[in-house]
Amino acid sequence: MKNHEIAYILYEIANMLEIKGENFFKIRAYRNAAHEIENLAIDIQKLVNQNALKEIDGVGEAISGKIYEILEKGTCRYYEELKAEVPRGLVDMLKIPGLGAKRIKVIYDNLKIASIEELEKAANSKQLQTLPGIGVKTEQSIIRGIQMIKGRAGRYLLSTALSIAQDMVTRLSSLPSVEKAQIAGSLRRKKEMVGDIDLLVVSNSHQQVTESFLKFPEIREVIAKGSTKTSVILELGIQVDLRVVKPESFSAALLHFTGSKEHNTKLRSLALRKGLRLNEYGIINLDDGEIIYPQSEKEIYKELGMPYIIPEIREDTGEVEAAMKDSLPNSVNLKDIKGDLHVHSNWSDGVSSIEEIALYAKKLGYEYIAITDHSKSLKIARGLDEEKLKRQLELIYELNKKIDGIKILSGIEVDILSNNLLDFNDDILEQLDVVVASIHTGFKQERDKITGRIIRACENPNVDIIAHPTGRLLGRRAPYDVDMELVLQACAQTNTILEINSSPDRLDINDKLARKAKALGLKMSINTDAHVAERLNDIKYGVWVARRGWLEKDDVINTLPFECLLKELNSK
DNA sequence: GCCGTTTTCGGCCCGACTGTTTTCAGTCG
């Protein structure tokens, strides 16, 4: 039983208790415990073996008992009893935006509606508006909510949301009544997919700002409009929340709207213990009622007794505790990156010539760049055969003599074939500076088979890096069925580097795996997999993944200067 | 249900907006 499976059961218990109308704090206790377990760095079974379950924050007598039971039997009695009592459909209904546990219960108690389908029918036939506390508008909002989850709209690539948000920030900033406009929310935390765009605006005249904002042509629908907060849906379907605050509240508001909710909650309970109330306007001293308007987020953290925490790790996965012990990671930065080790040229399916790529990399301030075109079996990408690769090596040799200020490394993205073998023999691979190995075929194979293919590749002494290890495409293709725990172990044993692929629709490995890999002492390489020179700029997405994964400069090999990098690559 | 550098009992983050209400509950982030 894995951590996330236990967390799931605890979340489900919380959901069912909520529908039953149980004590709010009891519900929260289950959610807290689930969140902690979900983000545990180690296998929960290990804690059980050490009899240390209760050392997990939020796990006490009752919940630890249930965890023991779940580990032993796969489930627990309390969970089964709740499932028998609360229809599954009611829990599903919690996913409908605008509809919560209280109203779900009213609907169920009065009309015995226990599925989203029945709910939609009842709403369309105007039955819901007859119930206490539900009127025409709520009924309409339930219909909209159901349509929204059916359309699966709601998650957007970071890159997509970021460009929309940046454009809006530019236009908001140019309004005369606006002092400052900034991106907040999960977008500022650089989550790989975001559900909405949070924008924070500093102004003394919120009404003017709101009026101008609502005239933006891409707005399809206004969901909420108050004196400080406006929510809209754009034509693209993405929701934008605009919050307007006065200048003195900017820093408190930025912290509040950057979140995450869990991070904020933890900070506020901490504040309370110090006799302070933290909200989006400032810090209030509960003794004398005096309000402090902090000048920066850093000042707020300082007030709470800890150093600044970067937005990327504000997820309540241990960052507050680490900050209080002054053991936060010294997070890797974009400027630490000295080269890119996975790039395609026009020799295979890329667009730019090797020279163009090298010059572009030089312009970015890189020390080195690796050319890693596809290997021969990947026909669709015009993969290189031995002969063509040999000619490419000669060209790279010539270009290195011709171009100053950047080193071009020879390389290949060698296919891990369906039959376990690599697409080139070792006598070819050992001639190259960088060998990146990856899977492009046989995605549907069974777990053991795919995992075995990757582990076999790790065991090859010529393979330096495993590229896009899980093969996922965000929002389009699930990862292939691979046991990443075993892959991480294999990398650790064979001194193989894992890639953090920076392509915005890959981000593979993700932040959580990166953090696990670091815990095992693995090295990672942040690469773009660019197919045109300009896309070398995508490296920032990979750096954000690394930062979210608590990585430091030393965890990332392409922060090394050229000579050290070569030594590292040759050390396997 | 959990927790304690005031506490083993009595707290538990905070505020905005909407809709259905005659003063507030539900939902959200």
Side-chain angles (χ1 to χ4, degrees):
Chain A
M1 200 94 179
K2 293 241 158 75
N3 294 5
H4 71 88
E5 293 169 298
I6 292 166
Y8 172 81
I9 292 178
L10 296 178
Y11 277 127
E12 286 292 286
I13 289 175
N15 287 338
M16 290 187 282
L17 291 175
E18 194 171 10
I19 287 164
K20 281 183 68 181
E22 268 275 7
N23 178 294
F24 168 77
F25 296 105
K26 181 170 167 178
I27 296 164
R28 203 170 64 179
Y30 275 97
R31 292 227 165 96
N32 279 343
H35 176 79
E36 288 295 328
I37 290 164
E38 196 175 26
N39 291 294
L40 221 50
I42 57 167
D43 193 331
I44 197 165
Q45 187 66 50
K46 276 193 190 147
L47 287 176
V48 170
N49 297 343
Q50 296 160 13
N51 208 10
L53 260 193
K54 281 197 234 169
E55 278 174 29
I56 304 172
D57 242 1
V59 174
E61 198 59 43
I63 293 182
S64 67
K66 294 187 175 75
I67 295 172
Y68 282 121
E69 204 182 329
I70 294 167
L71 281 170
E72 197 183 317
K73 296 191 280 190
T75 182
C76 70
R77 203 171 139 185
Y78 189 52
Y79 178 48
E80 292 301 321
E81 282 169 2
L82 282 168
K83 279 203 290 187
E85 191 181 345
V86 180
R88 173 73 237 172
L90 303 189
V91 180
D92 294 336
M93 286 182 206
L94 281 174
K95 292 202 192 85
I96 301 171
L99 183 63
K102 296 274 165 53
R103 290 203 183 104
I104 290 173
K105 188 167 191 306
V106 168
I107 293 167
Y108 179 65
D109 287 347
N110 285 278
L111 300 172
K112 290 284 164 273
I113 286 172
S115 74
I116 293 180
E117 292 72 36
E118 292 172 276
L119 180 69
E120 191 172 22
K121 269 188 214 150
N124 283 326
S125 59
K126 303 188 197 307
Q127 283 180 67
L128 300 184
Q129 52 178 278
T130 63
L131 301 177
I134 297 179
V136 180
K137 295 218 172 161
T138 304
E139 191 173 66
Q140 286 303 312
S141 115
I142 290 173
I143 293 173
R144 272 209 311 275
I146 293 174
Q147 261 144 25
M148 219 158 148
I149 56 168
K150 274 188 173 172
R152 292 260 172 264
R155 306 306 288 174
Y156 297 83
L157 287 183
L158 174 62
S159 52
T160 308
L162 206 53
S163 72
I164 296 169
Q166 277 160 347
D167 178 50
M168 289 187 126
V169 162
T170 306
R171 280 182 288 155
L172 285 167
S173 303
S174 71
L175 296 173
S177 51
V178 169
E179 201 171 289
K180 186 153 53 172
Q182 162 138 18
I183 292 170
S186 52
L187 208 47
R188 183 165 177 246
R189 302 199 309 278
K190 305 297 193 304
K191 277 190 84 162
E192 60 190 30
M193 301 278 274
V194 300
D196 61 7
I197 292 174
D198 292 299
L199 300 178
L200 180 62
V201 163
V202 175
S203 172
N204 279 309
S205 46
H206 58 80
Q207 206 174 340
Q208 273 182 36
V209 176
T210 306
E211 275 172 24
S212 309
F213 174 67
L214 289 175
K215 285 185 192 140
F216 281 13
E218 66 267 44
I219 293 173
R220 184 211 293 166
E221 188 187 346
V222 180
I223 305 178
K225 186 160 82 81
S227 63
T228 68
K229 192 183 147 191
T230 309
S231 294
V232 302
I233 305 268
L234 304 185
E235 287 298 345
L236 286 168
I238 192 165
Q239 180 171 332
V240 180
D241 295 332
L242 178 80
R243 192 70 188 245
V244 186
V245 297
K246 298 219 180 311
E248 63 270 24
S249 291
F250 174 68
S251 297
L254 183 59
L255 183 81
H256 175 86
F257 295 115
T258 297
S260 64
K261 184 180 186 295
E262 291 79 10
H263 178 83
N264 287 349
T265 304
K266 188 152 271 181
L267 290 185
R268 289 199 203 111
S269 356
L270 212 67
L272 267 189
R273 266 182 265 160
K274 288 179 174 286
L276 304 168
R277 169 177 291 144
L278 179 62
N279 63 22
E280 59 261 61
Y281 300 108
I283 304 173
I284 299 140
N285 189 324
L286 292 173
D287 290 336
D288 53 17
E290 194 198 353
I291 179 158
I292 309 163
Y293 296 110
Q295 292 301 298
S296 64
E297 287 184 320
K298 192 174 175 182
E299 194 180 320
I300 303 174
Y301 285 110
K302 194 177 167 200
E303 202 64 44
L304 299 177
M306 66 187 92
Y308 177 74
I309 299 176
I310 60 167
E312 288 94 325
I313 62 170
R314 296 182 196 168
E315 301 287 351
D316 187 28
T317 58
E319 74 283 3
V320 174
E321 292 78 2
M324 289 198 294
K325 284 189 291 185
D326 204 18
S327 61
L328 283 170
N330 184 8
S331 302
V332 61
N333 285 299
L334 183 58
K335 66 173 169 44
D336 296 327
I337 302 294
K338 298 212 163 57
D340 197 326
L341 300 180
H342 183 175
V343 182
H344 296 272
S345 76
N346 58 4
W347 282 63
S348 66
D349 60 345
V351 174
S352 310
S353 69
I354 296 177
E355 184 163 3
E356 284 165 347
I357 293 167
L359 291 175
Y360 199 92
K362 185 178 165 181
K363 206 171 79 183
L364 290 179
Y366 285 171
E367 286 184 28
Y368 47 85
I369 185 91
I371 302 300
T372 55
D373 278 310
H374 290 288
S375 59
K376 62 187 175 190
S377 74
L378 205 62
K379 301 267 192 272
I380 195 170
R382 296 189 291 125
L384 276 55
D385 60 17
E386 287 84 349
E387 175 54 30
K388 212 169 162 191
L389 179 62
K390 195 172 158 226
R391 276 191 284 130
Q392 190 185 62
L393 288 185
E394 287 162 9
L395 173 66
I396 288 175
Y397 181 78
E398 292 304 320
L399 286 173
N400 269 325
K401 282 200 287 190
K402 181 176 153 194
I403 306 172
D404 279 339
I406 182 107
K407 299 279 196 314
I408 308 171
L409 297 172
S410 63
I412 195 80
E413 180 176 11
V414 65
D415 245 68
I416 302 172
L417 303 174
S418 301
N419 63 5
N420 259 7
L421 297 175
L422 295 179
D423 201 13
F424 280 127
N425 290 331
D426 285 336
D427 58 333
I428 304 282
L429 297 179
E430 66 191 12
Q431 297 175 40
L432 303 167
D433 295 319
V434 183
V435 174
V436 173
S438 63
I439 286 187
H440 292 99
T441 53
F443 291 136
K444 299 249 163 75
Q445 284 179 345
E446 283 170 19
R447 192 176 179 83
D448 291 354
K449 183 97 180 132
I450 293 200
T451 307
R453 281 164 73 191
I454 299 179
I455 291 175
R456 177 92 185 261
C458 291
E459 287 164 352
N460 183 309
N462 292 308
V463 170
D464 299 301
I465 301 173
I466 302 294
H468 42 75
T470 79
R472 71 169 181 177
L473 290 177
L474 284 166
R476 286 190 289 148
R477 185 174 79 201
Y480 33 69
D481 194 7
V482 54
D483 187 337
M484 281 305 290
E485 304 279 341
L486 292 180
V487 171
L488 293 185
Q489 282 171 27
C491 286
Q493 279 158 15
T494 58
N495 198 17
T496 307
I497 297 153
L498 273 181
E499 177 176 82
I500 295 178
N501 190 294
S502 308
S503 179
D505 63 348
R506 285 194 184 269
L507 302 182
D508 182 9
I509 54 177
N510 68 17
D511 47 6
K512 283 189 177 161
L513 280 169
R515 198 166 166 190
K516 271 192 185 165
K518 179 188 167 82
L520 287 171
L522 294 189
K523 298 285 183 214
M524 280 153 273
S525 177
I526 304 175
N527 303 329
T528 59
D529 198 355
H531 284 66
V532 55
E534 288 75 18
R535 292 293 294 274
L536 291 176
N537 287 303
D538 283 349
I539 199 83
K540 58 179 180 279
Y541 294 102
V543 172
W544 289 330
V545 170
R547 286 164 69 84
R548 287 182 58 82
W550 292 48
L551 299 198
E552 306 186 285
K553 191 176 167 184
D554 288 349
D555 303 313
V556 180
I557 60 149
N558 50 326
T559 61
L560 291 171
F562 181 65
E563 294 299 333
C564 303
L565 175 84
L566 281 190
K567 215 186 274 176
E568 180 75 29
L569 289 175
N570 289 328
S571 69
K572 183 171 174 178

